[in-house]
Amino acid sequence: MKLDSMYQDVILDHYKNPHGRGLRDGDAEVHHVNPTCGDEITLRVRMAGETVEDVSYEGQGCSISQASASVLNELLVGKDLGEARRIQETFLELMQSKGRIEPDDAMEEVLEDAVAFAGVSKYPARVKCALLSWMAWKDATAQALGEGPESTVRKTA
């Protein structure tokens, strides 16, 4: 199917040409590990009031986990916190759908390149790869806002 091929191209493009890679100054830093496959990410968030000013990361792992971090950076930097959280929740909904959600125009408008991960939702082991950076972002943002624990290492099992 042409759509699947296009989605694979988007994921490979983000993997080969990552957005946001390289740790920069931030208000909070977390390190998440997927012990199932060994994917890791260290992610920093910098906030400017209620705006996500920057998301930077370093990581290692499969193309899905690394491309997902790149897409996250592209989608969330510059967004106000409410919109960024809505995007994160929509991505989480797609990833937890087990392939039952077919992205429509409204979802594509919210997720942009992140809809490329729709096919990943059919494979539970790969969902963890795609969500690694998004869970790290959620924790780092909570930490930056003083809403979460200061623990910096979490295993996503």
Side-chain angles (χ1 to χ4, degrees), residues 23 28-32 41-45 55-58 69 72 132-134 136-138 140-141:
L23 291 172
E29 176 181 301
V30 298
H31 181 78
H32 281 213
I41 190 163
T42 300
L43 185 138
R44 290 183 184 161
V45 171
V55 177
S56 62
Y57 66 94
E58 279 295 333
L72 177 147
L132 185 66
S133 59
W134 294 83
W137 176 81
K138 186 177 178 182
T141 301

Side-chain angles (χ1 to χ4, degrees), residues 70-90:
S70 174
V71 169
L72 177 147
N73 169 276
E74 187 175 84
L75 282 175
L76 302 187
V77 171
K79 300 286 193 305
D80 71 68
L81 186 58
E83 184 176 0
R85 284 181 170 159
R86 183 172 63 91
I87 293 167
Q88 188 266 337
E89 289 166 5
T90 303

Side-chain angles (χ1 to χ4, degrees), residues 79-157:
K79 300 286 193 305
D80 71 68
L81 186 58
E83 184 176 0
R85 284 181 170 159
R86 183 172 63 91
I87 293 167
Q88 188 266 337
E89 289 166 5
T90 303
F91 187 72
L92 180 62
E93 177 187 3
L94 178 64
M95 289 295 92
Q96 292 177 336
S97 74
K98 298 180 181 176
R100 290 189 292 259
I101 293 178
E102 191 67 36
D104 58 13
D105 290 344
M107 184 174 275
E108 287 184 23
E109 187 174 319
V110 171
L111 293 179
E112 299 176 20
D113 279 356
V115 298
F117 295 88
V120 172
S121 70
K122 299 172 189 171
Y123 307 100
R126 307 311 268 157
V127 167
K128 292 175 186 175
C129 301
L131 287 176
L132 185 66
S133 59
W134 294 83
M135 296 299 102
W137 176 81
K138 186 177 178 182
D139 285 353
T141 301
Q143 189 183 99
L145 298 171
E147 299 171 352
E150 294 192 23
S151 171
T152 60
V153 178
R154 177 167 297 173
K155 291 183 179 179
T156 306

